Coordinates of all heavy atoms in Angstrom, one line a residue:
M266 N 0.8 -1.2 0.0 CA 0.0 0.0 0.0 C 0.9 1.2 0.0 O 1.8 1.3 0.8 CB -0.9 0.0 1.3 CG -2.0 1.0 1.2 SD -3.3 0.5 0.0 CE -4.0 -0.9 0.8
L267 N 0.6 2.2 -0.9 CA 1.3 3.4 -0.9 C 0.5 4.5 -0.2 O -0.7 4.6 -0.3 CB 1.5 3.9 -2.3 CG 2.3 3.0 -3.3 CD1 2.4 3.6 -4.7 CD2 3.7 2.7 -2.7
T268 N 1.2 5.4 0.5 CA 0.6 6.6 1.0 C 1.0 7.8 0.1 O 2.2 8.0 -0.1 CB 1.1 6.9 2.4 OG1 0.7 5.8 3.2 CG2 0.4 8.2 3.0
I269 N 0.0 8.4 -0.6 CA 0.3 9.5 -1.5 C 0.2 10.8 -0.7 O -0.8 11.0 0.0 CB -0.8 9.5 -2.6 CG1 -0.9 8.1 -3.3 CG2 -0.5 10.6 -3.7 CD1 0.1 7.7 -4.3
K270 N 1.2 11.6 -0.9 CA 1.3 12.9 -0.2 C 1.5 14.0 -1.2 O 2.1 13.9 -2.2 CB 2.5 12.9 0.8 CG 2.4 12.0 1.9 CD 3.6 12.0 2.8 CE 3.7 10.9 3.8 NZ 4.9 10.9 4.5
C271 N 1.0 15.2 -0.8 CA 1.2 16.4 -1.6 C 2.7 16.8 -1.6 O 3.3 16.8 -0.5 CB 0.4 17.5 -0.9 SG 0.6 19.1 -1.7
A272 N 3.2 17.1 -2.8 CA 4.6 17.5 -2.9 C 4.9 18.9 -2.3 O 6.0 19.2 -1.9 CB 5.1 17.4 -4.3
K273 N 3.9 19.7 -2.2 CA 4.1 21.0 -1.7 C 4.0 21.1 -0.2 O 4.8 21.7 0.4 CB 3.1 22.0 -2.4 CG 3.4 22.3 -3.8 CD 2.6 23.4 -4.4 CE 3.0 23.7 -5.8 NZ 2.0 24.5 -6.5
C274 N 2.8 20.7 0.4 CA 2.6 20.8 1.8 C 2.8 19.6 2.6 O 2.8 19.6 3.8 CB 1.3 21.4 2.1 SG -0.1 20.3 1.8
K275 N 3.1 18.4 1.9 CA 3.3 17.1 2.5 C 2.2 16.5 3.3 O 2.3 15.6 4.0 CB 4.5 17.2 3.5 CG 5.7 18.0 3.0 CD 6.4 17.2 1.9 CE 7.7 18.0 1.4 NZ 8.0 17.7 0.1
K276 N 1.0 17.1 3.1 CA -0.2 16.5 3.7 C -0.4 15.1 3.1 O -0.2 14.9 1.9 CB -1.4 17.3 3.4 CG -2.1 18.0 4.5 CD -3.4 18.6 4.1 CE -4.0 19.4 5.2 NZ -3.2 20.5 5.8
K277 N -0.9 14.2 3.9 CA -1.3 12.9 3.3 C -2.6 13.1 2.5 O -3.6 13.7 3.0 CB -1.6 11.9 4.5 CG -0.4 11.3 5.1 CD -0.9 10.3 6.2 CE 0.2 9.9 7.1 NZ -0.3 9.0 8.2
L278 N -2.7 12.5 1.3 CA -3.8 12.7 0.5 C -4.7 11.4 0.6 O -5.9 11.5 0.9 CB -3.4 13.0 -0.9 CG -2.6 14.2 -1.1 CD1 -2.2 14.4 -2.5 CD2 -3.4 15.5 -0.7
F279 N -4.1 10.3 0.2 CA -4.9 9.0 0.3 C -3.9 7.8 0.3 O -2.8 8.0 0.0 CB -5.9 8.9 -0.8 CG -5.4 9.1 -2.2 CD1 -4.9 8.0 -2.9 CD2 -5.3 10.3 -2.8 CE1 -4.4 8.1 -4.2 CE2 -4.8 10.4 -4.1 CZ -4.4 9.3 -4.8
K280 N -4.5 6.7 0.6 CA -3.7 5.4 0.4 C -4.2 4.8 -0.9 O -5.3 4.8 -1.2 CB -4.0 4.5 1.6 CG -3.3 5.0 2.9 CD -3.2 4.0 3.9 CE -2.3 4.5 5.0 NZ -2.0 3.5 6.0
Y281 N -3.2 4.1 -1.5 CA -3.4 3.6 -2.8 C -2.8 2.2 -2.9 O -1.6 2.0 -2.6 CB -2.9 4.5 -3.9 CG -3.2 4.0 -5.3 CD1 -4.5 3.9 -5.7 CD2 -2.2 3.7 -6.2 CE1 -4.8 3.4 -6.9 CE2 -2.5 3.2 -7.4 CZ -3.8 3.1 -7.8 OH -4.1 2.6 -9.1
Q282 N -3.5 1.2 -3.4 CA -3.0 -0.1 -3.6 C -2.4 -0.1 -5.1 O -3.1 -0.3 -6.0 CB -4.1 -1.1 -3.5 CG -3.6 -2.5 -3.6 CD -4.7 -3.5 -3.7 OE1 -5.9 -3.2 -3.7 NE2 -4.4 -4.8 -3.6
K283 N -1.1 0.0 -5.1 CA -0.4 0.0 -6.4 C 0.0 -1.4 -6.8 O 0.6 -2.1 -6.0 CB 0.8 0.9 -6.3 CG 1.7 0.9 -7.6 CD 1.2 1.8 -8.7 CE 2.3 2.0 -9.8 NZ 2.2 0.9 -10.8
I284 N -0.4 -1.8 -8.0 CA 0.0 -3.1 -8.5 C 1.0 -2.9 -9.6 O 0.8 -2.1 -10.5 CB -1.2 -3.9 -8.9 CG1 -2.1 -4.1 -7.7 CG2 -0.8 -5.2 -9.6 CD1 -3.5 -4.7 -8.1
G285 N 2.2 -3.6 -9.5 CA 3.2 -3.5 -10.5 C 4.2 -2.5 -10.1 O 4.0 -1.7 -9.1
K286 N 5.4 -2.4 -10.8 CA 6.5 -1.6 -10.4 C 6.6 -0.3 -11.1 O 7.5 0.5 -10.8 CB 7.8 -2.4 -10.6 CG 7.9 -3.6 -9.7 CD 9.2 -4.3 -9.8 CE 9.3 -5.4 -8.8 NZ 10.5 -6.2 -8.8
G287 N 5.7 0.0 -12.0 CA 5.8 1.2 -12.8 C 5.6 2.5 -12.0 O 5.3 2.4 -10.8
K288 N 5.7 3.6 -12.6 CA 5.5 4.9 -12.0 C 4.0 5.0 -11.7 O 3.1 4.4 -12.4 CB 5.9 6.0 -12.9 CG 7.3 6.4 -12.8 CD 7.6 7.5 -13.8 CE 7.2 8.9 -13.3 NZ 7.6 10.0 -14.2
V289 N 3.7 5.8 -10.7 CA 2.2 6.1 -10.4 C 1.8 7.2 -11.4 O 2.1 8.4 -11.2 CB 2.1 6.5 -9.0 CG1 0.6 6.9 -8.7 CG2 2.6 5.5 -8.0
L290 N 1.1 6.8 -12.4 CA 0.6 7.7 -13.4 C -0.9 7.9 -13.3 O -1.5 9.0 -13.6 CB 0.9 7.3 -14.8 CG 2.4 7.0 -15.2 CD1 2.5 6.4 -16.5 CD2 3.1 8.4 -15.1
K291 N -1.6 6.8 -12.9 CA -3.0 6.8 -12.7 C -3.3 6.2 -11.4 O -2.6 5.3 -10.9 CB -3.7 5.8 -13.7 CG -3.6 6.2 -15.2 CD -4.2 5.1 -16.0 CE -4.1 5.3 -17.5 NZ -4.7 4.2 -18.2
C292 N -4.4 6.7 -10.8 CA -4.8 6.0 -9.6 C -6.3 5.6 -9.8 O -7.2 6.4 -10.0 CB -4.8 7.0 -8.4 SG -3.1 7.2 -7.7
H293 N -6.4 4.3 -9.8 CA -7.8 3.7 -10.0 C -8.6 3.9 -8.7 O -8.1 3.6 -7.7 CB -7.7 2.2 -10.4 CG -7.0 2.0 -11.7 ND1 -7.7 2.1 -12.9 CD2 -5.7 1.9 -12.0 CE1 -6.9 1.9 -13.9 NE2 -5.7 1.8 -13.4
K294 N -9.8 4.5 -8.9 CA -10.6 4.8 -7.7 C -10.9 3.6 -6.9 O -11.0 3.7 -5.6 CB -11.8 5.5 -8.1 CG -11.6 6.9 -8.7 CD -12.8 7.6 -9.1 CE -12.5 8.9 -9.8 NZ -13.7 9.5 -10.4
S295 N -11.1 2.4 -7.5 CA -11.4 1.2 -6.8 C -10.3 0.8 -5.9 O -10.5 0.0 -5.0 CB -11.8 0.1 -7.7 OG -10.7 -0.2 -8.6
R296 N -9.1 1.3 -6.1 CA -7.9 0.9 -5.3 C -7.5 2.0 -4.4 O -6.4 1.8 -3.7 CB -6.8 0.4 -6.2 CG -7.0 -0.9 -7.0 CD -5.8 -1.4 -7.5 NE -5.9 -1.7 -8.9 CZ -5.0 -1.3 -9.8 NH1 -3.9 -0.7 -9.5 NH2 -5.1 -1.6 -11.1
M297 N -8.2 3.1 -4.3 CA -7.9 4.1 -3.3 C -8.5 3.6 -2.0 O -9.7 3.3 -2.0 CB -8.5 5.4 -3.8 CG -7.7 6.1 -4.9 SD -8.5 7.5 -5.6 CE -8.6 8.7 -4.3
N298 N -7.7 3.6 -1.0 CA -8.2 2.9 0.2 C -8.7 3.8 1.2 O -9.8 3.7 1.7 CB -7.0 2.1 0.7 CG -7.5 0.8 1.3 OD1 -8.1 0.8 2.3 ND2 -7.3 -0.3 0.5
K299 N -7.9 4.7 1.7 CA -8.3 5.6 2.8 C -8.0 7.0 2.3 O -6.9 7.3 1.9 CB -7.5 5.3 4.0 CG -7.9 6.0 5.2 CD -7.1 5.5 6.4 CE -7.2 6.3 7.6 NZ -8.5 6.4 8.2
V300 N -9.1 7.8 2.2 CA -8.9 9.2 1.7 C -8.7 10.1 2.9 O -9.6 10.1 3.8 CB -10.1 9.6 0.8 CG1 -9.9 11.0 0.4 CG2 -10.1 8.7 -0.4
Y301 N -7.6 10.8 3.0 CA -7.4 11.8 4.1 C -7.8 13.2 3.6 O -8.8 13.7 4.1 CB -5.9 11.8 4.4 CG -5.3 10.5 4.9 CD1 -4.6 9.7 4.1 CD2 -5.5 10.1 6.2 CE1 -4.0 8.5 4.5 CE2 -5.0 8.9 6.7 CZ -4.3 8.1 5.8 OH -3.7 6.9 6.2
H302 N -7.1 13.7 2.7 CA -7.4 15.1 2.3 C -7.3 15.1 0.7 O -6.2 15.0 0.2 CB -6.3 16.1 2.8 CG -6.2 16.1 4.3 ND1 -5.3 15.5 5.0 CD2 -7.0 16.8 5.2 CE1 -5.5 15.7 6.3 NE2 -6.5 16.5 6.4
I303 N -8.4 15.3 0.1 CA -8.4 15.6 -1.3 C -9.7 16.3 -1.7 O -10.7 15.9 -1.1 CB -8.0 14.4 -2.2 CG1 -7.6 14.8 -3.6 CG2 -9.2 13.4 -2.2 CD1 -6.8 13.8 -4.3
E304 N -9.6 17.3 -2.5 CA -10.9 18.0 -2.8 C -11.1 17.9 -4.3 O -10.1 18.1 -5.1 CB -10.7 19.5 -2.4 CG -10.6 19.6 -0.9 CD -10.3 21.1 -0.5 OE1 -10.1 21.9 -1.3 OE2 -10.3 21.3 0.8
K305 N -12.3 17.7 -4.7 CA -12.6 17.6 -6.1 C -13.4 18.9 -6.5 O -14.4 19.2 -5.9 CB -13.5 16.4 -6.4 CG -13.7 16.1 -7.8 CD -14.6 14.9 -8.1 CE -14.8 14.8 -9.6 NZ -15.9 13.9 -9.9
R306 N -12.9 19.5 -7.5 CA -13.6 20.7 -8.1 C -13.4 20.7 -9.6 O -12.3 20.6 -10.1 CB -12.9 22.0 -7.5 CG -13.7 22.7 -6.4 CD -13.0 23.9 -5.9 NE -11.9 23.6 -5.1 CZ -10.7 24.2 -5.0 NH1 -10.5 25.3 -5.8 NH2 -9.8 23.8 -4.2
D307 N -14.5 20.8 -10.3 CA -14.5 20.9 -11.8 C -13.6 19.8 -12.4 O -12.7 20.1 -13.2 CB -13.9 22.3 -12.2 CG -14.7 23.4 -11.7 OD1 -15.9 23.3 -11.5 OD2 -14.1 24.5 -11.3
E308 N -13.9 18.6 -12.0 CA -13.2 17.4 -12.5 C -11.7 17.4 -12.2 O -10.9 16.6 -12.8 CB -13.4 17.3 -14.1 CG -14.8 17.4 -14.6 CD -15.7 16.3 -13.9 OE1 -15.4 15.2 -13.9 OE2 -16.8 16.7 -13.4
K309 N -11.3 18.2 -11.3 CA -9.9 18.2 -10.9 C -9.8 17.9 -9.4 O -10.6 18.3 -8.6 CB -9.2 19.6 -11.2 CG -9.1 19.9 -12.6 CD -8.3 21.2 -12.9 CE -8.2 21.5 -14.3 NZ -9.3 22.3 -14.8
Y310 N -8.7 17.2 -9.0 CA -8.5 16.9 -7.6 C -7.3 17.7 -7.1 O -6.3 17.8 -7.8 CB -8.1 15.4 -7.5 CG -9.3 14.5 -7.6 CD1 -9.7 13.9 -8.9 CD2 -10.1 14.1 -6.5 CE1 -10.8 13.1 -9.0 CE2 -11.2 13.3 -6.6 CZ -11.5 12.8 -7.9 OH -12.6 12.0 -8.0
R311 N -7.6 18.3 -6.0 CA -6.6 19.2 -5.4 C -6.4 18.9 -4.0 O -7.3 18.5 -3.3 CB -7.0 20.7 -5.5 CG -7.1 21.2 -6.9 CD -7.6 22.7 -6.9 NE -7.8 23.1 -8.3 CZ -6.9 23.7 -9.0 NH1 -5.6 23.8 -8.6 NH2 -7.1 24.0 -10.3
C312 N -5.1 19.2 -3.5 CA -4.9 19.2 -2.1 C -5.5 20.4 -1.5 O -5.7 21.4 -2.2 CB -3.3 19.2 -1.9 SG -2.8 19.4 -0.2
P313 N -5.9 20.4 -0.2 CA -6.4 21.6 0.4 C -5.5 22.8 0.2 O -6.0 24.0 0.3 CB -6.6 21.3 1.9 CG -6.7 19.8 1.9 CD -5.9 19.3 0.7
C314 N -4.2 22.7 0.0 CA -3.3 23.8 -0.3 C -3.4 24.3 -1.7 O -2.7 25.3 -2.1 CB -1.9 23.4 0.0 SG -1.1 22.5 -1.3
N315 N -4.3 23.7 -2.5 CA -4.6 24.1 -3.9 C -3.7 23.5 -4.9 O -3.8 23.8 -6.1 CB -4.6 25.7 -4.0 CG -5.7 26.1 -5.0 OD1 -6.7 25.4 -5.1 ND2 -5.4 27.1 -5.8
N316 N -2.7 22.7 -4.5 CA -1.9 22.0 -5.5 C -2.7 21.1 -6.3 O -3.5 20.2 -5.7 CB -0.8 21.2 -4.7 CG 0.2 20.6 -5.5 OD1 0.4 20.9 -6.7 ND2 0.9 19.5 -5.0
L317 N -2.6 21.1 -7.6 CA -3.4 20.2 -8.5 C -2.7 18.8 -8.5 O -1.5 18.7 -8.9 CB -3.4 20.8 -9.9 CG -4.1 20.0 -11.0 CD1 -5.6 19.8 -10.6 CD2 -3.9 20.6 -12.3
I318 N -3.5 17.9 -8.1 CA -3.0 16.5 -8.0 C -3.3 15.7 -9.2 O -2.5 14.9 -9.6 CB -3.5 15.8 -6.7 CG1 -3.2 16.6 -5.4 CG2 -3.1 14.4 -6.6 CD1 -1.8 16.8 -5.1
G319 N -4.5 15.8 -9.7 CA -4.9 15.0 -10.8 C -6.2 15.4 -11.4 O -6.9 16.3 -10.9
K320 N -6.5 14.7 -12.5 CA -7.8 15.0 -13.2 C -8.6 13.8 -13.2 O -8.1 12.7 -13.4 CB -7.4 15.4 -14.7 CG -6.8 16.8 -14.7 CD -6.4 17.2 -16.1 CE -5.6 18.5 -16.1 NZ -4.9 18.8 -17.3
D321 N -9.9 14.0 -13.1 CA -10.9 12.9 -13.0 C -11.1 12.4 -14.4 O -11.4 13.1 -15.3 CB -12.2 13.5 -12.5 CG -13.2 12.3 -12.2 OD1 -12.8 11.1 -12.2 OD2 -14.3 12.6 -11.9
K322 N -10.9 11.0 -14.5 CA -11.1 10.4 -15.8 C -12.1 9.3 -15.7 O -12.0 8.2 -16.3 CB -9.8 9.8 -16.4 CG -8.7 10.8 -16.7 CD -9.1 11.6 -18.0 CE -8.0 12.6 -18.3 NZ -8.4 13.4 -19.5
G323 N -13.0 9.4 -14.8 CA -14.1 8.4 -14.6 C -13.7 7.4 -13.6 O -13.8 7.6 -12.4
S324 N -13.1 6.3 -14.1 CA -12.8 5.2 -13.1 C -11.4 5.4 -12.5 O -11.1 4.7 -11.6 CB -12.8 3.9 -13.8 OG -11.8 3.8 -14.8
Y325 N -10.7 6.4 -13.0 CA -9.3 6.6 -12.4 C -9.0 8.1 -12.4 O -9.7 8.9 -13.1 CB -8.2 5.9 -13.2 CG -8.0 6.3 -14.6 CD1 -7.1 7.3 -14.9 CD2 -8.7 5.7 -15.6 CE1 -6.8 7.7 -16.2 CE2 -8.5 6.1 -17.0 CZ -7.5 7.1 -17.2 OH -7.3 7.5 -18.5
I326 N -8.0 8.5 -11.7 CA -7.5 9.8 -11.6 C -6.2 9.9 -12.4 O -5.3 9.0 -12.1 CB -7.2 10.3 -10.2 CG1 -8.5 10.3 -9.4 CG2 -6.6 11.7 -10.2 CD1 -8.3 10.5 -7.9
K327 N -6.1 10.7 -13.4 CA -4.8 10.9 -14.1 C -3.9 11.8 -13.3 O -4.3 13.0 -13.1 CB -5.1 11.5 -15.5 CG -3.8 11.6 -16.4 CD -4.2 12.0 -17.8 CE -3.1 11.9 -18.7 NZ -2.1 13.0 -18.5
M328 N -2.8 11.3 -12.7 CA -2.0 12.1 -11.8 C -1.1 13.0 -12.5 O -0.6 12.8 -13.5 CB -1.2 11.1 -10.9 CG -2.0 10.1 -10.1 SD -3.1 10.8 -8.9 CE -2.0 11.1 -7.6
V329 N -0.9 14.2 -11.8 CA 0.0 15.2 -12.4 C 1.4 14.9 -11.9 O 1.6 14.8 -10.7 CB -0.5 16.6 -11.9 CG1 0.5 17.7 -12.4 CG2 -1.8 16.9 -12.5
D330 N 2.3 14.7 -12.8 CA 3.7 14.4 -12.4 C 4.2 15.4 -11.5 O 4.0 16.6 -11.7 CB 4.5 14.3 -13.7 CG 5.7 13.4 -13.6 OD1 5.7 12.6 -12.7 OD2 6.7 13.6 -14.3
Q331 N 5.0 15.0 -10.5 CA 5.7 15.9 -9.5 C 4.8 16.7 -8.6 O 5.2 17.5 -7.9 CB 6.7 16.8 -10.3 CG 7.7 15.9 -11.0 CD 8.8 16.8 -11.7 OE1 8.5 17.9 -12.1 NE2 10.0 16.2 -11.8
S332 N 3.5 16.4 -8.7 CA 2.6 17.2 -7.7 C 2.5 16.4 -6.4 O 1.9 16.9 -5.5 CB 1.2 17.3 -8.3 OG 0.6 16.1 -8.4
F333 N 3.0 15.2 -6.4 CA 2.8 14.3 -5.2 C 4.1 13.5 -5.0 O 4.9 13.3 -5.9 CB 1.6 13.4 -5.4 CG 1.7 12.4 -6.6 CD1 2.2 11.1 -6.3 CD2 1.5 12.8 -7.9 CE1 2.3 10.2 -7.4 CE2 1.6 12.0 -8.9 CZ 2.1 10.7 -8.7
T334 N 4.2 13.0 -3.8 CA 5.2 12.0 -3.5 C 4.5 10.8 -2.9 O 3.3 10.9 -2.5 CB 6.2 12.6 -2.5 OG1 5.5 12.9 -1.3 CG2 6.9 13.8 -3.0
Y335 N 5.2 9.7 -2.7 CA 4.6 8.6 -2.1 C 5.6 7.8 -1.3 O 6.8 7.8 -1.5 CB 3.9 7.7 -3.0 CG 4.7 7.1 -4.2 CD1 5.5 6.0 -4.0 CD2 4.6 7.7 -5.4 CE1 6.2 5.5 -5.1 CE2 5.3 7.3 -6.5 CZ 6.2 6.2 -6.3 OH 6.9 5.7 -7.4
S336 N 5.1 7.1 -0.3 CA 6.0 6.2 0.5 C 5.2 4.9 0.6 O 4.0 4.9 0.4 CB 6.3 6.8 1.9 OG 5.0 7.1 2.5
G337 N 5.9 3.9 1.0 CA 5.2 2.6 1.1 C 5.7 1.6 0.0 O 6.6 1.9 -0.7
R338 N 5.0 0.5 -0.1 CA 5.4 -0.5 -0.9 C 4.4 -0.8 -2.1 O 3.2 -0.9 -1.9 CB 5.5 -1.8 -0.1 CG 6.9 -2.5 -0.3 CD 7.2 -3.6 0.7 NE 6.0 -4.1 1.3 CZ 5.9 -5.4 1.6 NH1 6.9 -6.3 1.4 NH2 4.8 -5.9 2.2
K339 N 5.0 -1.0 -3.3 CA 4.1 -1.4 -4.4 C 4.0 -2.9 -4.3 O 4.8 -3.6 -3.7 CB 4.8 -1.1 -5.7 CG 5.0 0.4 -5.9 CD 5.8 0.8 -7.1 CE 6.0 2.3 -7.2 NZ 6.9 2.7 -8.3
E340 N 2.9 -3.4 -4.9 CA 2.6 -4.9 -4.7 C 2.9 -5.6 -6.0 O 2.9 -5.0 -7.1 CB 1.1 -5.1 -4.3 CG 0.9 -4.7 -2.9 CD -0.6 -4.7 -2.5 OE1 -1.3 -5.5 -3.0 OE2 -0.9 -3.8 -1.7
Ligands
ZN672 ZN1 -0.8 20.4 -0.4

């Protein structure tokens, strides 16, 4: 499980079950586990500090490169 954090303010955003070793480019909503802080406005997901994290693509969020960091283990 990965913990996704905002790259700007370091707030925890959500936990994500990442499968495979690739980069985190998309986050499938069905694998988002625990949501701490994330706000959705106009199809965009932002940290409460206003940093743009990703765009809503229906079943997944297309993540903005370098807007977030993560810790934890990929599966
Ligand atoms: Zn932030």
Side-chain angles (χ1 to χ4, degrees):
M266 194 69 70
L267 299 179
T268 300
I269 309 281
K270 293 179 190 171
C271 174
K273 287 192 178 164
C274 71
K275 315 292 180 204
K276 245 188 185 61
K277 283 183 190 174
L278 300 174
F279 57 88
K280 287 197 171 186
Y281 184 61
Q282 186 190 4
K283 172 82 170 85
I284 296 171
K286 291 186 175 181
K288 277 179 79 176
V289 179
L290 301 172
K291 295 176 181 178
C292 283
H293 295 272
K294 291 177 187 173
S295 59
R296 291 196 234 133
M297 285 168 65
N298 216 287
K299 185 172 166 68
V300 177
Y301 301 99
H302 300 99
I303 196 159
E304 296 175 355
K305 189 183 174 193
R306 258 179 284 146
D307 304 326
E308 309 304 309
K309 295 186 176 91
Y310 285 91
R311 292 178 188 274
C312 175
C314 78
N315 215 34
N316 184 22
L317 178 62
I318 302 297
K320 291 179 186 162
D321 190 12
K322 295 287 181 184
S324 65
Y325 67 90
I326 300 170
K327 186 172 186 289
M328 301 297 280
V329 175
D330 203 24
Q331 299 182 332
S332 69
F333 63 96
T334 61
Y335 56 82
S336 57
R338 232 168 22 144
K339 295 174 184 175
E340 290 172 34

